[in-house]
Amino acid sequence: MGVVLDGKQYARTVRQGLKERIARIRHQPGRQDWQPGLATILIGEDPASRAYVSTKEKACREVGIAPFGHCLPATASADEVVTLIGRLNARPDVHGILLQLPLPDHLEPASLIEAIRPDKDVDGLHPVNQGRLVLGQDGIRPCTPLGVMHLIDQSGMAIEGKRAVVVGRSNLVGKPVALLLLQRNATVTTCHSQTTNLADHIRQADLVVTAIGQQNAIRGDWIREGAGVIDVGISRGSDGSLKGDVEFAIAKDRAAYISPVPGGVGPLTVAMLLANTVQTAERQTNVRM
Ligand code: NDP
């Protein structure tokens, strides 16, 4: 049986590291009040989005990041959101801005994300940051893909030269994961809903990262013996419980390592948001460590 990667434990370690890092910066001369600030923008009343934002704000407080929560009604216009983002862009105590997705139907995410200052875009979704990722330049990387890379690194298995299959091609998860793996010298295949013979691709893979959102879309017996499996997908089972994309019970006996759902990528996504916020705060305030 493969190693089941404990995302909760790894996330705890990342958070503890950030807490200590903030404490060390505060010990520098003249920085005793130094504090990273993360502004969250929640539009509407979607309970899942509300829960995600409150988890992120709680995690901020635990490591010493100041959360600044902003809630707008579901009827908010694009102009109102852009005005709020403009105010947050200008605030020196706000180092990161997170626009909680999905947005109400009448709001178009791309133009609102573009209103965020690229150096405060802690979700790494601004075209400047996505472009830097494509170019292999330094920039803010999206949190879930960073969490995926962290999990793979914690497994201790090499990435270089491996055949990696990424299932999903969204700007949020699939594409950035594929680019990060490519940067680390994996040979990457990206699959999506129009891929024929998905099973054949998976069977060849040393590493599978899946971000679809359909329970059991990746059959356990497709996984090569000894492969690594990172499951980003989230869907609800018939009993309301959270499910990943991979047929876990079978896949775990074939994989060298596998991330569970829940308790895999999810906790690391939040930890990486905190890490991005600390990093943007350091850059904006010229902290040298
Ligand atoms: P999207 O819906 O934007 O993308 C889903 C991708 O899956 C698309 O590229 C789609 O292909 C592909 N796809 C759909 N059906 C199939 C199929 N049968 N075979 C192969 N590929 C398929 O979702 P996101 O990328 O935003 O999120 C993906 C999943 O990850 C979701 O379940 C989401 O909830 C979860 N998630 C989890 C996070 C975490 O922290 N754990 C964070 C973010 C997301 P096509 O492009 O052709 O439509």
Side-chain angles (χ1 to χ4, degrees):
M1 179 176 148
V3 173
V4 178
L5 300 173
D6 186 347
K8 277 192 196 163
Q9 181 55 43
Y10 298 138
R12 259 195 295 276
T13 306
V14 171
R15 290 200 306 265
Q16 184 59 30
L18 292 171
K19 203 171 172 172
E20 289 165 11
R21 192 174 175 92
I22 292 171
R24 279 202 303 281
I25 295 170
R26 286 181 165 189
H27 273 102
Q28 293 182 354
R31 294 204 194 268
Q32 60 275 17
D33 295 327
W34 189 85
Q35 187 174 31
L38 174 68
T40 55
I41 304 174
L42 176 65
I43 305 171
E45 298 293 331
D46 177 51
S49 294
R50 189 168 283 280
Y52 284 135
V53 167
S54 95
T55 301
K56 290 167 187 174
E57 290 181 351
K58 181 165 170 273
C60 278
R61 283 189 206 96
E62 277 169 15
V63 301
I65 295 172
F68 302 104
H70 294 267
C71 299
L72 295 178
T75 52
S77 67
D79 281 349
E80 283 172 278
V81 183
V82 169
T83 301
L84 172 60
I85 292 172
R87 284 212 320 270
L88 297 170
N89 279 341
R91 271 176 59 170
D93 57 343
V94 169
H95 306 98
I97 301 171
L98 179 142
L99 178 63
Q100 183 64 42
L101 302 175
L103 300 174
D105 288 345
H106 68 285
L107 293 173
E108 208 258 311
S111 61
L112 299 179
I113 289 167
E114 277 193 50
I116 298 173
R117 243 171 66 175
D119 64 337
K120 294 193 175 188
D121 164 43
V122 279
D123 256 345
L125 296 178
H126 191 285
V128 166
N129 285 314
Q130 297 250 319
R132 285 183 180 151
L133 173 59
V134 172
L135 296 172
Q137 295 174 354
D138 199 20
I140 306 172
R141 308 304 191 213
C143 304
T144 300
L146 280 180
V148 168
M149 299 306 288
H150 190 84
L151 275 179
I152 298 169
D153 285 336
Q154 292 300 319
S155 78
M157 298 245 310
I159 296 175
E160 187 163 312
K162 302 290 182 195
R163 282 166 298 189
V165 168
V166 179
V167 191
R169 56 173 164 180
S170 70
N171 294 330
L172 186 65
V173 189
K175 270 190 222 165
V177 166
L179 288 163
L180 290 170
L181 288 169
L182 192 59
Q183 262 173 28
R184 296 277 297 275
N185 297 323
T187 302
V188 183
T189 302
T190 301
C191 299
H192 45 76
S193 67
Q194 306 308 306
T195 298
T196 49
N197 298 330
L198 179 63
D200 290 346
H201 289 282
I202 304 274
R203 284 193 183 104
Q204 307 262 327
D206 302 309
L207 168 62
V208 177
V209 179
T210 173
I212 305 176
Q214 286 169 24
Q215 185 183 352
N216 294 340
I218 308 296
R219 292 244 311 268
D221 62 3
W222 295 352
I223 302 297
R224 250 169 75 111
E225 291 282 346
V229 179
I230 305 291
D231 194 345
V232 185
I234 299 177
S235 54
R236 292 266 170 202
S238 49
D239 58 354
S241 62
L242 291 187
K243 303 285 182 196
D245 292 344
V246 179
E247 199 181 10
F248 185 83
I250 297 169
K252 76 173 189 314
D253 289 335
R254 301 175 64 85
Y257 66 88
I258 185 166
S259 71
V261 177
V265 178
L268 277 161
T269 295
V270 178
M272 294 300 147
L273 171 70
L274 305 178
N276 277 351
T277 304
V278 173
Q279 194 182 63
T280 56
E282 287 178 10
R283 290 192 176 170
Q284 286 163 41
T285 57
N286 298 315
V287 166
R288 304 256 178 281
M289 289 288 280

